[in-house]
Amino acid sequence: KTDFWTKRLAKWFVFVIRNPKKISAISIFIIILSCVGISFIVTNNYLMDDLTDDVPIKQDFNFLDDNYGGIRPVEIVFELKDSTQKWTDIEVLNDLDSLENYLSNNYGATIKLSLCQILKVLNRSHHGGKPEFFCLPKNKKEIRKLRRPLKMANKGEFIYSIMDTNERILRINANIPDQGNIEVTKKNKAFKEFLIKSGLDKKYKIILTGTAHLYDKNIRYLSRSLVLGLCVSIGIVSLLMGLIFKSFRMVLISIVPNLIPLLIIGGLMGFLGIELKTSTAIIFTIAFGIAVDDTIHLLGKFKIELLKGRSKIYALKRAYITTGKAMILTSLILCSGFLLLLFSTFSGTVNLGGLLSCTLFIAVILDLTLLPVLLLLFYKEKK
């Protein structure tokens, strides 16, 4: 007499060894379909994209984004290269003003704080608030008149919010709507082309910075690091399998069933429109680390039975039935735990829970179907 799981696993094992071609064909079709889905994946990120639309703080951010020029900060560092130049020079102010005009008209930024804006306001105030005087001073004499109130504002502290103490590095503070990393990258590329075309990059050191810019760079760095970590994990597992079985074929046999779930999840992300970012890129590393455990258990038991002198088919059957129950139960427990993340208010956490559960479920199915087929077809039994 045998229990429920043993009977079902024995019947499933018979089906697998009798239909290796069907299982192989289905696996190849799934791989091709997943590769098509992966081609649709978009790498993008927003400042508040991990919050759902019903969260109050995101609603507040959306209101500011729509009505107050955007919530995404843009910081520009404008440094004078020539030691003889000063910010009071007419040429420097005109170049700075052309830069700000590009940011306002082409970049889509709303200037919040800059030297030119302040001088324009002071110039208009100096002429009785007339709108036609909202412009830069025409000569050095007018600039000197405005320099004194600028330095006296807030007891001399205000001027250092737009320049350093040496008055060599100027700051432009602006905001744009949060349009996503893809759109901002296009704007930054066009901004660099403008600097080269206008020749400003040769006369001044102009750097695009700010918290949002650093956030984008950090996201790209983390994504690359996660991909590198995944490659290192695959390499370590391959090395261990090669050392245990002393066969390159066994390395491929052990890796293939664990890479296909990652391809399937990538395909699902592409078809469902889930963007690749830090919260979703980490799924691949975690899923591979957990899913490969089942493969190691099954191949480990298979190796033990072979060392006892069993035939390949008998060793595979014993490994399949004895470790199969543990693989199914542990995978179901892990999937149940990750499915709890679906109740989170963070979309990244929801995607993490749903995709990880799918990955683990697909991995155990492949370990119980494709892995035995690969062992039957490609593992050569030693005499």
Side-chain angles (χ1 to χ4, degrees):
K1 294 183 180 181
T2 55
D3 58 16
F4 173 82
W5 286 109
T6 303
K7 290 181 180 179
R8 296 296 180 272
L9 284 170
K11 291 181 179 180
W12 188 253
F13 178 74
V14 173
F15 171 79
V16 169
I17 63 174
R18 286 181 176 177
N19 300 276
K21 293 183 178 179
K22 290 183 180 180
I23 294 174
S24 301
I26 293 173
S27 300
I28 294 173
F29 173 76
I30 292 175
I31 292 173
I32 295 174
L33 188 63
S34 300
C35 292
V36 174
I38 290 174
S39 64
F40 298 142
I41 293 180
V42 177
T43 304
N44 200 11
N45 64 273
Y46 297 83
L47 296 180
M48 304 294 291
D49 57 355
D50 281 335
L51 292 176
T52 55
D53 293 332
D54 57 343
V55 177
I57 188 171
K58 186 169 184 179
Q59 294 176 355
D60 295 340
F61 267 82
N62 289 338
F63 178 80
L64 293 173
D65 201 43
D66 296 335
N67 299 280
Y68 288 90
I71 60 171
R72 187 182 183 92
V74 178
E75 301 280 347
I76 306 292
V77 175
F78 188 91
E79 184 177 355
L80 305 178
K81 287 184 177 180
D82 191 350
S83 59
T84 61
Q85 287 181 323
K86 297 180 180 179
W87 69 264
T88 54
D89 296 342
I90 299 296
E91 181 184 1
V92 174
L93 291 177
N94 288 333
D95 289 339
L96 186 60
D97 190 45
S98 65
L99 176 62
E100 293 185 14
N101 288 333
Y102 176 85
L103 292 174
S104 300
N105 301 325
N106 300 89
Y107 197 90
T110 302
I111 306 296
K112 301 295 183 180
L113 184 65
S114 71
L115 178 62
C116 288
Q117 291 289 322
I118 294 171
L119 290 177
K120 290 177 182 179
V121 172
L122 290 175
N123 191 40
R124 182 178 60 185
S125 301
H126 190 71
H127 291 85
K130 296 179 180 180
E132 61 269 21
F133 287 97
F134 187 75
C135 59
L136 291 175
K138 303 298 182 181
N139 50 59
K140 286 191 174 183
K141 183 178 180 181
E142 294 181 1
I143 294 176
R144 284 195 295 269
K145 291 180 180 179
L146 303 179
R147 180 186 174 94
R148 180 175 176 82
L150 178 61
K151 284 203 165 189
M152 292 177 61
N154 195 23
K155 299 180 180 180
E157 296 294 330
F158 176 74
I159 191 173
Y160 298 122
S161 64
I162 55 175
M163 65 179 67
D164 67 330
T165 54
N166 296 323
E167 299 184 0
R168 303 289 304 168
I169 302 176
L170 309 178
R171 170 195 174 203
I172 301 175
N173 175 257
N175 287 81
I176 60 173
D178 191 16
Q179 300 170 339
N181 183 42
I182 295 178
E183 187 64 27
V184 173
T185 301
K186 294 179 181 178
K187 291 185 175 183
N188 292 341
K189 183 178 179 180
F191 176 68
K192 291 180 180 179
E193 292 176 354
F194 162 76
L195 295 179
I196 296 174
K197 186 176 180 180
S198 60
L200 292 177
D201 62 322
K202 296 181 179 179
K203 295 191 292 184
Y204 311 100
K205 184 178 180 180
I206 301 174
I207 302 174
L208 182 65
T209 181
T211 54
H213 182 68
L214 297 178
Y215 173 75
D216 290 339
K217 294 184 68 175
N218 188 40
I219 290 294
R220 290 192 291 269
Y221 171 75
L222 289 176
S223 299
R224 289 194 298 267
S225 299
L226 291 172
V227 172
L228 179 62
L230 177 60
C231 295
V232 171
S233 300
I234 294 173
I236 292 175
V237 172
S238 302
L239 179 62
L240 292 176
M241 289 300 174
L243 292 175
I244 293 173
F245 289 92
K246 298 179 181 179
S247 171
F248 181 72
R249 288 189 178 186
M250 285 302 299
V251 172
L252 298 179
I253 290 172
S254 62
I255 292 300
V256 169
N258 295 291
L259 291 181
I260 295 178
L262 304 184
L263 294 177
I264 295 175
I265 292 304
L268 286 175
M269 290 175 59
F271 287 124
L272 298 177
I274 299 175
E275 297 171 346
L276 183 63
K277 48 193 175 184
T278 306
S279 58
T280 52
I282 197 174
I283 294 172
F284 296 95
T285 306
I286 297 175
F288 180 81
I290 298 176
V292 77
D293 290 345
D294 293 338
T295 305
I296 293 174
H297 286 308
L298 184 62
L299 292 179
K301 182 63 176 176
F302 177 69
K303 177 69 173 179
I304 292 173
E305 294 296 331
L306 289 177
L307 293 175
K308 291 180 180 180
R310 311 294 188 184
S311 65
K312 180 173 68 172
I313 188 68
Y314 184 84
L316 182 58
K317 182 192 73 171
R318 293 294 302 167
Y320 194 93
I321 293 176
T322 54
T323 61
K325 291 184 288 185
M327 290 164 56
I328 293 173
L329 291 175
T330 53
S331 297
L332 290 176
I333 292 171
L334 289 171
C335 289
S336 302
F338 283 118
L339 285 175
L340 294 176
L341 299 178
L342 296 177
F343 299 98
S344 174
T345 57
F346 288 87
S347 61
T349 307
V350 173
N351 293 331
L352 179 67
L355 293 176
L356 269 178
S357 300
C358 291
T359 306
L360 297 179
F361 179 76
I362 294 169
V364 72
I365 295 298
L366 289 172
D367 282 333
L368 295 176
T369 54
L370 183 60
L371 182 57
V373 169
L374 293 175
L375 289 172
L376 289 172
L377 295 178
F378 299 105
Y379 180 74
K380 288 187 177 182
E381 191 174 3
K382 295 182 180 179
K383 296 181 180 181

